[in-house]
Amino acid sequence: MFIRHLIVLAALTCSSLAYAGQTGVDRSFTLFKNIDSTDPTQPTIINTVTVVCPAAGTLISNVSAQITLATSGAAGEVDLQYGITKNSVKQDINNHHIIREYTDSGTTWSSVSYQRADNCTAGQTVKIRFLANKISANAADAEKSSLVVTFIEGPVI
């Protein structure tokens, strides 16, 4: 019985720490965006959110989209790089994914999602971007893409 109460107390303590202080959400939604770039230093910007941190805390950024990838019409493999950046328009090697699909018809679809956590200070302006660039795809686009940035006040994680 003592162990059960201790676990409940620990769970309640952790919950109150995670939700202490201010929270806020900013979002960006794009119905359709062509991904034209093949250069990770100049990728296509799909979504952007600008946040002014009201206090010291953490920004949790989440992206999701339906990605369409196409070859030149023949069967083959297609690749795309996507990620989240903080105050940059270049792909961040530490915060990206690569999707690789094989298509028999020349076109394939993939759902993508990614999350990133960053610290911020009171009054700091941060620009978060959802970026993508083609690697081997002849054509690509992002459909119904979203970028949601949540601010949580409190100790830096």
Side-chain angles (χ1 to χ4, degrees), residues 4 11 13 16-17 23 35 38 45 58-59 75 83 87-88 102 110 113 117 119 123-124 135 152:
R4 181 172 45 182
T13 303
S16 64
L17 288 176
T23 61
I35 301 169
T38 57
I45 299 169
T58 303
L59 296 174
N87 296 327
S88 177
Y102 182 84
S110 184
S113 63
N119 299 322
Q124 179 183 12
I135 298 173
I152 303 170

Side-chain angles (χ1 to χ4, degrees), residues 3 20 30 34 49 51 64 68 73 86 101 114 118 131-132 142 145 152:
I3 293 174
T30 303
N34 282 319
V49 170
V51 178
S64 65
T68 302
K86 175 185 173 188
E101 298 281 335
Y114 193 72
D118 291 291
L131 311 167
S145 65
I152 303 170

